[in-house]
Amino acid sequence: MAKRVRCFMVLCMLPILLMFSSCENKADSVIKGMQMGQTQEEAEAVSGRLEVHFIDVGQGDASLITCDGHAMLFDMGENDKSVLLQFYLMRQGIDHLDYVIGSHPEADHIGGMDVILLKYDCDKVILPDVVVNTATYRDVLEAMEYKNCESTVPQVGETYDLGEAFFTIIAPNEDDYGDNINNYSVGIRLVHGENAFIFTGDAEIQAEEDMLGNGIPLDADVLKVGHHGSHDASSAEFVEAVSPKYAVISCGKENDYGHPHKETLAILEDAGAEVFRTDEMGNIIAISDGTDLTWNTEMEDVWQGDYYVGNKNNRKLHRSTCSSLPKERNQVIFESKEEAVKAGFTDFCSGCKP
């Protein structure tokens, strides 16, 4: 009977919480916790630490999110950035991923995904329901097949836990965006206590309009700016709905596309958002204690310890000093031989055999 009374009280309190639109971020966290059976006081208390690492992968996207010993990757940069990404995760002590999300199947977002899937065990892989005929996408499918994992198609409104944080799928909202691959991008709203982040991949204005109309709150402290700051994303209406205090742009130095475009920077300035850019600052790290956000920026300091290099094509293993290392895009980096063997790289190349 006590359990039934508690559930009734929780259900009665939810509409009251929803009335306070000025506190939507905090209410989201409270409602989610109460739906999971917590009291209001328990749901409000967030003791963990969330870190969002916007990794400098040049003209591409890669974000590492950690909370309470849990970790996820949202996008993984170009093929030639897979070694950099592996080193970054090694330096952060990552040995397992709860989620791997490829926002959409373009090389600057999923280029390193096959290598990450080969190296790390992952509980859930999320990819949009769109297929492209590229070598990069085929590499991802082959890696998934080798690791015997299936992709989950994102459903708008679904919520996933990451320690004390959680994220809600906010895009894609349509099944058919024609040939515009960008608009199939997976979008999420990540919440940790009173702090929230929006990620939209390369979603353009049409997809943003669909997000505006799906009924899910978009307000957030941090906007990961869509499509590297291109003018075909981050419409004034969308940015106004998010109302970010901070905006993060991931793009390469002096890139061929002119990202970020001046129109986008003007919209962000009008919204009063403080802008962080990987092309100017290197890696950008946001740290949430559930109430306040702090920021660190750093230029990449690549870990240079001894390591082993696997060739993801022929599955041969090399010492880091081998003169016949595979091309960078085909490298899988391991800190030890035992780690390599666990991932299925058991045969040394002829010049590296013990």
Side-chain angles (χ1 to χ4, degrees), residues 237-253:
E237 293 78 12
F238 186 77
V239 173
E240 180 181 1
V242 177
S243 188
K245 298 185 182 85
Y246 309 97
V248 179
I249 300 173
S250 180
C251 61
K253 291 182 180 179

Side-chain angles (χ1 to χ4, degrees), residues 21-22 24-25 189 194 196-198 212 217-224 235-247 267-274 293:
S21 60
S22 62
E24 282 182 336
N25 287 4
R189 183 171 184 261
E194 297 179 24
F197 300 72
I198 293 285
L212 289 169
L218 292 175
D219 63 299
D221 303 278
V222 182
L223 172 63
K224 170 62 184 62
S235 68
E237 293 78 12
F238 186 77
V239 173
E240 180 181 1
V242 177
S243 188
K245 298 185 182 85
Y246 309 97
I267 289 172
L268 295 172
E269 181 180 0
D270 289 344
E274 182 178 354
L293 284 173

Side-chain angles (χ1 to χ4, degrees), residues 114 117-119 142-143 146-147 309-318 326 330 332 334 340-349:
D114 57 332
L117 291 175
L118 288 172
K119 179 175 171 62
E142 289 173 5
Y146 181 82
K147 293 297 287 279
V309 180
N311 185 326
K312 73 179 183 66
N313 287 335
N314 61 20
R315 310 200 68 75
K316 295 284 186 180
L317 188 62
H318 303 255
N330 297 324
V332 187
F334 301 102
V341 170
K342 181 182 177 182
F345 292 79
T346 58
D347 187 16
F348 276 95
C349 82

Side-chain angles (χ1 to χ4, degrees), residues 13 16 20 35 69 85 109 154 181 187 195 202 226 232 278 312 332:
M13 291 178 69
I16 298 173
F20 296 95
Q35 287 172 337
L85 186 59
H109 291 255
I181 299 299
N195 297 321
D202 276 356
D232 58 22
T278 59
K312 73 179 183 66
V332 187

